[in-house]
Amino acid sequence: MHFKAGAAVALIVLSLASFCICDISLTVNSHDVGLKLNESETFLILTGSNFTSVNDTLHIIIQHTDIVSINLTSIELNWLGPNESVPIEIKALGLGRTDIYSNTSNTLANVDEVYFRVTVHREPWLDIFSTTIGWIYFLAWSVSFYPQVYINWKRRSVIGLNFDFLALNIVGFILYSIFNLGLYYIPEIKKEYSERYPRGLNPVQVNDIFFAVHAVILTSVTIGQCVLYERAEQRVSTTARIILGFFGVFIAISIVLSGCDVIHWIDFLYYCSYVKLTITLIKYIPQAFMNYRRQSTSGWSIGNILLDFTGGTLSMLQMILNAYNYDDWASIFGDPTKFGLGLFSVAFDIFFMIQHYVLYKHSKYEEN
């Protein structure tokens, strides 16, 4: 009986001790820190209302010491009590991104929330300007799908709209959506990106995700119009079917290799983006050739082209601004699809504008 009673008391003591350890937790008043070069700002490390002093040391560690500095690198936790704050000054030394994290000598305290994500930029207004540009190009690219849908609806016909272009477009935007969603939402892939580009910012923005998913939806609507409206003898060519089949095999193999841990999942996402980039490079060729063969752009919306040109130009401008503001040119190479998408789109848009406004401006195509 005495043994059982002693064991019960010991269990209660251990439980209380565990409860106390769990209450030894710290946090900060803000995890995200944005600083201008050579600027400094003070943040707080906070104890909770049930914080219990412990004989332990909190060590504060900077990932990249050439980007920021701090005024203290350790805190003795036995000096702290409940609801206290310790000021820590963070000074920006260089452009880029870095993490400030912490650990303890004996791991008695819970310091999981003691970290800062620091970005150092040249000018804060460039951030605002970049964000504004991002939403403008998102709107331009997104709205660019509607003129073609409207023209098809008005004419009750899709004659003049190349089906190879549509087939390549829907596959490309599905893969681009997978890339954006994976790199933005999946923690494991975000971690892999951070390890691969430790000084870089995630190149995928929320507006990129909206654009890609919206593009899939609107392209699907246009394909639906091809089923419902007059289309003459138009169909997806054998060449396009072979190209899409090759891409399908390539993506399937990449999924298998990722699932078997032969390659990382982030590499699979990059393969998706490379296929999207390849599709962007070739998808306009069938439409351009069709316009040339017909000597007309009838049935092909120039409104689509003008908005696409605007979106592509602003997309590249945003990436260049961000790279300059954070001295993070690797972000362009970290997301070659986004930059390449804008570059190739702009090049083909210029060609289509020449076709519409110069070469075939007086042409009226008549079906035989």
Side-chain angles (χ1 to χ4, degrees):
M1 288 293 291
H2 291 295
F3 175 77
K4 291 182 178 179
V9 171
L11 184 60
I12 292 172
V13 170
L14 288 173
S15 299
L16 290 174
S18 299
F19 177 78
C20 290
I21 291 174
C22 291
D23 271 357
I24 305 174
S25 58
L26 299 96
T27 186
V28 297
N29 63 329
S30 177
H31 290 301
D32 294 302
V33 178
L35 298 173
K36 185 178 177 180
L37 187 62
N38 298 321
E39 180 184 46
S40 63
E41 192 169 342
T42 300
F43 296 85
L44 301 176
I45 297 176
L46 307 169
T47 63
S49 58
N50 296 320
F51 183 83
T52 303
S53 297
V54 61
N55 187 22
D56 204 347
T57 303
L58 176 71
H59 300 284
I60 306 170
I61 303 160
I62 303 173
Q63 182 185 19
H64 299 297
T65 54
D66 59 333
I67 295 180
V68 298
S69 65
I70 53 179
N71 63 326
L72 51 87
T73 57
S74 63
I75 302 172
E76 297 299 327
L77 299 183
N78 58 348
W79 295 353
L80 301 180
N83 296 321
E84 286 197 34
S85 61
V86 178
I88 176 170
E89 183 184 51
I90 303 176
K91 183 176 182 180
L93 304 177
L95 299 170
R97 173 189 177 278
T98 187
D99 291 331
I100 299 176
Y101 55 96
S102 63
N103 59 36
T104 54
S105 301
N106 301 315
T107 66
L108 292 176
N110 179 4
V111 296
D112 291 344
E113 292 299 313
V114 182
Y115 67 88
F116 301 95
R117 294 181 291 256
V118 186
T119 53
V120 181
H121 48 249
R122 281 189 170 92
E123 295 292 343
W125 67 266
L126 282 176
D127 270 345
I128 300 172
F129 187 45
S130 173
T131 302
T132 303
I133 286 176
W135 284 106
I136 292 174
Y137 91 68
F138 157 69
L139 290 173
W141 262 351
S142 298
V143 174
S144 71
F145 292 91
Y146 289 93
Q148 187 65 59
V149 172
Y150 174 74
I151 285 177
N152 295 343
W153 172 80
K154 185 178 180 180
R155 298 168 67 231
R156 296 296 193 273
S157 170
V158 292
I159 295 175
L161 175 60
N162 189 273
F163 285 15
D164 289 359
F165 167 76
L166 286 178
L168 291 166
N169 221 20
I170 188 67
V171 172
F173 281 124
I174 288 173
L175 293 176
Y176 191 44
S177 297
I178 292 172
F179 174 82
N180 285 334
L181 290 168
L183 197 55
Y184 192 84
Y185 283 113
I186 301 177
E188 292 79 6
I189 294 177
K190 290 167 66 177
K191 181 180 178 182
E192 287 180 5
Y193 182 87
S194 180
E195 291 172 352
R196 192 167 296 188
Y197 302 98
R199 292 172 181 253
L201 300 171
N202 191 326
V204 177
Q205 308 285 328
V206 174
N207 48 296
D208 296 319
I209 296 171
F210 287 163
F211 164 71
V213 174
H214 179 267
V216 171
I217 295 171
L218 266 293
T219 305
S220 299
V221 170
T222 308
I223 291 173
Q225 290 180 319
C226 294
V227 175
L228 297 174
Y229 297 155
E230 181 187 4
R231 59 182 182 275
E233 299 299 320
Q234 293 179 166
R235 63 181 181 84
V236 178
S237 70
T238 301
T239 302
R241 293 171 190 267
I242 292 173
I243 292 172
L244 291 174
F246 173 79
F247 288 151
V249 171
F250 175 73
I251 292 299
I253 292 173
S254 301
I255 291 175
V256 172
L257 293 177
S258 300
C260 296
D261 293 328
V262 176
I263 62 174
H264 296 289
W265 280 107
I266 191 173
D267 293 316
F268 164 72
L269 291 185
Y270 275 124
Y271 294 159
C272 289
S273 73
Y274 297 150
V275 172
K276 165 58 182 169
L277 183 57
T278 304
I279 287 176
T280 300
L281 179 62
I282 66 175
K283 72 178 183 179
Y284 294 106
I285 295 175
Q287 184 67 57
F289 180 73
M290 186 178 187
N291 293 345
Y292 163 75
R293 189 181 62 194
R294 299 166 74 238
Q295 296 292 290
S296 173
T297 56
S298 175
W300 172 245
S301 172
I302 192 62
N304 172 13
I305 298 305
L306 295 175
L307 289 165
D308 192 61
F309 176 80
T310 302
T313 303
L314 293 178
S315 170
M316 291 188 293
L317 178 60
Q318 184 196 47
M319 294 195 74
I320 292 170
L321 281 176
N322 287 342
Y324 168 76
N325 201 24
Y326 293 98
D327 194 23
D328 182 25
W329 298 99
S331 64
I332 293 179
F333 303 104
D335 188 1
T337 300
K338 185 178 177 180
F339 193 81
L341 179 64
L343 182 63
F344 289 129
S345 294
V346 166
F348 273 103
D349 289 337
I350 292 173
F351 181 75
F352 281 122
M353 285 187 279
I354 293 173
Q355 281 190 323
H356 184 82
Y357 291 112
V358 180
L359 299 178
Y360 313 135
K361 64 179 180 178
H362 299 302
S363 296
K364 295 294 182 181
Y365 181 79
E366 298 292 340
E367 291 291 332
N368 296 323

